[in-house]
Amino acid sequence: MTLDAKIPAGPLAEKWSKHKFNLKLVNPANKRKYDVIVVGTGLAGASAAASLAELGYNVKAFCFQDSPRRAHSIAAQGGINAAKNYQNDGDSVYRLFYDTIKGGDYRAREGNVYRLAEVSVNIIDQCVAQGVPFAREYGGLLDNRSFGGAQVSRTFYARGQTGQQLLLGAYSALNRQIHLGKVKMYTRTEMLDVVMVDGHAKGIVTRNLINGKIETHTGHAVLLCTGGYGNVFYLSTNAIGSNVTAAWRAHKRGALFANPCYTQIHPTCIPVTGDHQSKLTLMSESLRNDGRVWAPKTVETAEQLRKGAIKANQVKEEDRDYFLERKYPSFGNLVPRDVASRNAKEMVDDNRGVGGSGIAVFLDFADAIHRLGKDAVSAKYGNLFDMYYQITNEDPYTQPMRIYPAVHYTMGGLWVDYNLSTNVPGLYALGECNFSDHGANRLGASALMQGLADGYFVIPYTLGDYLATIGPKPVDAKHPAFEKTKQDVIALINKFLAMKGNKTVVEYHRDLGHIMWEYCGMARTEEGLTKAKGLIQALRADFWKNAIVVGENDEVNPALERAGRVADFLELGELMVDDALMRRESCGGHFRLESQTPEGEALRDDDHFAFVAAWEYTGDNQPEKLNKEDLEFEFVHLTQRSYK
C-alpha cells in the first residue's frame, strides 16, 4: 500500500497557510446539509465538535462517560506548550518545532510538527478568551514554566489542573452548540464498529451502556477522538475506562495502525504498592522544575532506607546521587521523559531503589523550600503535594516524594495524513488517537497542545476539503452495510455473553499487563519480545476458552464492556510486540537493549528504520502486513540525540 502523507510543498513556514488556501471549501448554506460524527469528547473531541458546529455542520458527539467533563483529558496536570516567548528567553515557533522533533527522537514528520508549533500560539489566545484561568505573573501577564526536553519556559499552566481547566473551556464551547441544537450529545454510549459504504466511512454502531440498545448512526464523516491505548498494560496513569476499542475496530475495517510499540513511560508517578491496584497516579512533570531526583550512592544506604532503619532526610548530601544532574548537566532534572525513566530504572536495577518495595527513587523539594520558602512552593504545587499526601500519607514538604516510571501516553495510533485523515476516506483521527506529531517520545505538555490544535485549528479546515468532494447528498441509513455491521456487533456481544468459564476478564487484563510491562515496557530484547508474543497468543486462546462474562446485554453490564475492551487489548498487545520486534533499533520510548550507545543511551538506526510503521489488518489470527512511510528530514539534521 502506498502511503501519501499529503505534506504540502514549499518552505516549512508556509506549508500550512498555502495548504489552507488550496483546500476546497463548503459554503455556509451547504454546511447544514452535512452530518459529522465525533467519537470522544476530551480536548480533541470537544474542541472539534464545538468548532465544526460553530461553522454550521450538524454534529453528533458520543462519549461513554456520563458527561464530556469526565473525559481523561481532565487528568492532565502540568501544562500546555506554546511558542509565545513571553519569557523572552529565546523561544520561537522553530525552536518548539525543533525540540519536538528532537524529543521524538527524529521519528515524526517535519510538516505535521511544524504546523503544531505554529498553531500553538493561537491555542492560548483561544483558551484565555474562553476564560481558562492560566497562572499569571505579578504584573498580570500569563506565567510560564519549564518542562522536560526544553531549555526555555513555554508551558502555560493552571496550577496542577491544567487539563481540567482546558477541558472546561472546550466543554463550555461544546455546551453552547448543544444549546443551539447544532450538536446532539450521546452520553453513556460506546462506539463498537465503523460502517463502511463503498470504501468510505459513513457511520458507526454503538451500544447504550444503560439499556444495551444497539444502534446505527449515519454521518458524512467520522472523527475518532478516543485517546490512547496505555491501558493495554493494565496499570497505567490512564482512567480505568480508557481503551483502544474505537480505534481498533476501525483498524479491523481497514484503517492502518502506526507505530504501536511507541509507548511513553512517565518518570514521576507514585510507585506500585501491590496487586490490589487498578491504576496508577501521575505526579506532574512540572515538579521536576524545582524537585531534585536522587537515589542513594550505595546499596548499603539503600538497604537501610528500605528497612526503615534511616529516613531519607538523614542521608547526607555526599551520600546522594543526583543522577540526572550528574549525567545530563545541560538539562539536569528536565531531560525528556524517556531519558529520566530509563535512568530511574537503572538505579533500581543497581539495587539502589528506595521505599518498601525498592522500586522507587526520590523527588526532593528541600532545596526549593529552603530557596523559595514553603509558601512559594505551595503556591506552585500545593494541590499536587496534597494529592500525594492523600494517597501515600507522607508529607512532601518534610520528606522527599517517592516516584517511579509508569505507562502514561502512547505515541502510536491510527495512521493519518497531513489532513488528519486515515487511509479510509471519511475516517479521521485526532489527538492521542493518531500517531502523527510526537514520534517515538512525547515532550511534556505537548498532549494538550496537540489535542486542541487538531480540534480547534486543523480539522475545521481539512474536513471541509473532503466533504466538498463527496457532496451533501444524505447518507442512506437503509444501506445494507448498516444492518450488516449492526448484526456483526450483536454477534460479538452474544459471543461474549456465552463465555461461562472460571476466570474473570479483569484477571486476563492483569495477566496481559504483566507480560507487556515485563517484555515490552521500558527495556526490550529480541528474546523477551519473542517470548511475549507466544505468551500473548496463549493468553488470548485461553481467554476465549475460560473467561467468564456475567449478566445480560439489556442492562448496565461493566463485565460485558470490559470483555470487549480486553479482547481488543489482547490483539493490540501482540501487534505492539510485533512492531517492537521489527524495529531493531532504539528510539525514544522504544529501547532495545541490543541497540544502545556506550553510555547507555538510545541508539537509532536511521539507515534502516527512519520510517513510520503502518500495520494493515489481514484477518483474525493472521499476521498483519507492514507498510512503510519513509520519513524525510529536509529542515532538521539527523543527529544522535543528546541532553548532556
Side-chain angles (χ1 to χ4, degrees):
M1 183 182 296
T2 302
L3 299 178
D4 182 6
K6 296 185 173 64
I7 304 297
L12 192 63
E14 298 176 11
K15 288 182 183 293
W16 178 229
S17 57
K18 286 186 175 180
H19 187 67
K20 286 190 291 184
F21 179 77
N22 290 326
L23 291 170
K24 296 183 180 68
L25 299 177
V26 178
N27 81 59
N30 279 344
K31 286 188 173 109
R32 60 176 174 266
K33 300 176 183 178
Y34 290 95
D35 297 325
V36 179
I37 290 172
V38 177
V39 185
T41 53
L43 287 181
S47 60
S51 299
L52 294 170
E54 183 77 34
L55 286 172
Y57 297 108
N58 304 307
V59 177
K60 304 172 186 177
F62 298 81
C63 71
F64 62 71
Q65 299 92 347
D66 59 356
S67 165
R69 289 183 59 184
R70 297 194 185 278
H72 185 59
S73 300
I74 205 168
Q77 298 168 348
I80 177 171
N81 286 330
K84 286 285 199 180
N85 195 30
Y86 282 172
Q87 303 297 315
N88 199 28
D89 56 0
D91 200 11
S92 64
V93 167
Y94 191 88
R95 188 175 294 278
L96 175 53
F97 155 72
Y98 174 80
D99 286 346
T100 306
I101 289 285
K102 177 182 176 183
D105 217 353
Y106 305 92
R107 290 295 177 261
R109 290 191 197 125
E110 287 185 330
N112 284 71
V113 175
Y114 190 88
R115 176 178 64 187
L116 177 63
E118 183 181 348
V119 303
S120 71
V121 297
N122 300 325
I123 296 171
I124 304 304
D125 298 336
Q126 171 94 2
C127 295
V128 168
Q130 290 174 337
V132 174
F134 286 120
R136 293 180 180 267
E137 295 179 325
Y138 178 75
L141 299 177
L142 297 183
D143 195 15
N144 292 112
R145 56 189 178 198
S146 300
F147 257 59
Q151 291 177 307
V152 296
S153 296
R154 64 163 68 102
T155 304
F156 295 78
Y157 64 99
R159 295 195 77 186
Q161 49 187 250
T162 313
Q164 177 179 357
Q165 299 303 328
L166 290 172
L167 186 60
L168 289 174
Y171 175 64
S172 66
L174 176 62
N175 266 347
R176 178 173 180 271
Q177 297 304 321
I178 294 172
H179 176 72
L180 292 173
K182 294 303 292 180
V183 174
K184 185 171 183 181
M185 188 71 228
Y186 295 83
T187 59
R188 301 295 293 158
T189 304
E190 183 169 26
M191 173 193 147
L192 296 180
D193 214 337
V194 179
V195 179
M196 302 292 297
V197 177
D198 298 328
H200 289 240
K202 291 296 183 182
I204 62 174
V205 179
T206 63
R207 177 177 180 269
N208 184 305
L209 299 184
I210 302 299
N211 58 28
K213 187 176 182 181
I214 309 300
E215 295 181 312
T216 58
H217 300 271
T218 62
H220 291 89
V222 177
L223 278 56
L224 300 184
C225 312
T226 51
Y229 49 89
N231 275 350
V232 68
F233 289 85
Y234 185 70
L235 286 182
S236 81
T237 66
N238 288 209
I240 294 174
S242 297
N243 63 82
V244 76
T245 290
W248 191 252
R249 304 289 171 86
H251 173 56
K252 296 177 82 167
R253 292 292 180 185
L256 300 179
F257 209 105
N259 298 336
C261 79
Y262 287 164
T263 306
Q264 181 168 82
I265 314 291
H266 198 295
T268 53
C269 298
I270 298 178
V272 176
T273 58
D275 286 341
H276 63 282
Q277 286 176 281
S278 57
K279 75 176 300 293
L280 297 174
T281 302
L282 169 71
M283 299 306 297
S284 170
E285 182 173 303
S286 63
L287 295 170
R288 287 198 277 145
N289 270 295
D290 291 302
R292 302 179 69 191
V293 180
W294 65 275
K297 281 188 176 179
T298 66
V299 174
E300 292 73 23
T301 304
E303 287 178 344
Q304 287 183 294
L305 285 164
R306 290 194 290 266
K307 293 176 182 177
I310 59 173
K311 296 185 181 297
N313 293 339
Q314 294 174 289
V315 179
K316 296 178 181 178
E317 193 70 13
E318 58 267 26
D319 294 329
R320 302 180 178 193
D321 180 8
Y322 295 94
F323 52 92
L324 295 180
E325 298 172 35
R326 169 174 57 83
K327 294 180 67 174
Y328 309 97
S330 292
F331 281 75
N333 293 298
L334 287 175
V335 293
R337 293 172 174 177
D338 62 317
V339 177
S341 294
R342 280 197 298 274
N343 278 271
K345 181 180 185 297
E346 184 181 303
M347 295 298 108
V348 170
D349 290 346
D350 286 346
N351 202 24
R352 290 194 278 149
V354 300
S357 66
I359 306 177
V361 295
F362 287 127
L363 181 61
D364 198 333
F365 286 85
D367 284 359
I369 291 171
H370 177 75
R371 184 178 75 253
L372 303 171
K374 181 179 178 180
D375 289 345
V377 171
S378 177
K380 280 184 168 182
Y381 311 114
N383 60 324
L384 295 171
F385 277 40
D386 181 62
M387 182 172 69
Y388 181 86
Y389 175 75
Q390 296 294 334
I391 293 172
T392 66
N393 199 33
E394 297 173 6
D395 181 7
Y397 291 105
T398 59
Q399 58 183 306
M401 289 182 179
R402 290 176 297 106
I403 59 167
Y404 195 66
V407 172
H408 176 58
Y409 187 90
T410 50
M411 285 73 66
L414 294 179
W415 183 90
V416 294
D417 62 18
Y418 193 69
N419 293 327
L420 304 184
S421 171
T422 70
N423 59 297
V424 174
L427 181 66
Y428 292 76
L430 284 65
E432 191 180 357
C433 186
N434 75 36
F435 87 102
S436 66
D437 292 357
H438 306 297
N441 177 62
R442 178 174 66 79
L443 292 184
S446 287
L448 306 187
M449 176 174 64
Q450 187 209 349
L452 292 181
D454 287 355
Y456 282 139
F457 298 110
V458 179
I459 200 65
Y461 287 95
T462 61
L463 179 63
D465 184 69
Y466 169 74
L467 296 178
T469 301
I470 64 170
K473 181 182 177 181
V475 178
D476 181 10
K478 295 183 179 179
H479 191 284
F482 283 89
E483 183 61 27
K484 172 65 169 61
T485 309
K486 180 179 179 180
Q487 292 305 318
D488 289 345
V489 168
I490 292 172
L492 182 58
I493 288 173
N494 289 335
K495 185 177 181 180
F496 286 129
L497 292 172
M499 297 167 72
K500 301 301 179 185
N502 53 20
K503 187 174 177 181
T504 67
V505 171
V506 174
E507 290 177 272
Y508 283 100
H509 194 180
R510 185 184 291 114
D511 290 346
L512 174 64
H514 283 311
I515 296 169
M516 296 300 296
W517 179 252
E518 181 68 25
Y519 301 110
C520 198
M522 276 194 283
R524 303 157 183 190
T525 65
E526 186 96 13
E527 180 183 5
L529 290 165
T530 302
K531 180 178 180 180
K533 183 176 175 67
L535 290 172
I536 294 171
Q537 288 176 334
L539 185 66
R540 187 167 70 247
D542 192 69
F543 169 85
W544 288 107
K545 183 179 179 182
N546 292 317
I548 180 171
V549 178
V550 298
E552 303 296 335
N553 177 58
D554 56 352
E555 62 183 0
V556 176
N557 191 341
L560 175 60
E561 297 168 32
R562 193 72 171 264
R565 296 166 188 174
V566 172
D568 294 333
F569 278 141
L570 284 164
E571 294 178 352
L572 169 67
E574 184 175 351
L575 182 60
M576 292 172 69
V577 168
D578 286 339
D579 191 42
L581 266 171
M582 174 278 300
R583 192 168 286 276
R584 291 180 172 86
E585 65 163 351
S586 291
C587 56
H590 169 62
F591 192 73
R592 288 285 295 265
L593 290 178
E594 304 95 334
S595 183
Q596 54 183 307
T597 67
E599 295 81 22
E601 304 296 335
L603 180 62
R604 295 194 324 272
D605 181 354
D606 295 329
D607 291 337
H608 298 99
F609 293 101
F611 61 78
V612 175
W615 295 89
E616 182 179 350
Y617 182 75
T618 60
D620 289 346
N621 299 311
Q622 299 298 314
E624 298 223 359
K625 180 182 177 183
L626 173 62
N627 300 276
K628 299 179 181 180
E629 178 202 334
D630 291 330
L631 292 169
E632 298 178 2
F633 293 91
E634 181 182 355
F635 302 96
V636 176
H637 178 63
L638 279 168
T639 183
Q640 191 61 38
R641 194 170 54 141
S642 174
Y643 292 92
K644 296 187 176 182

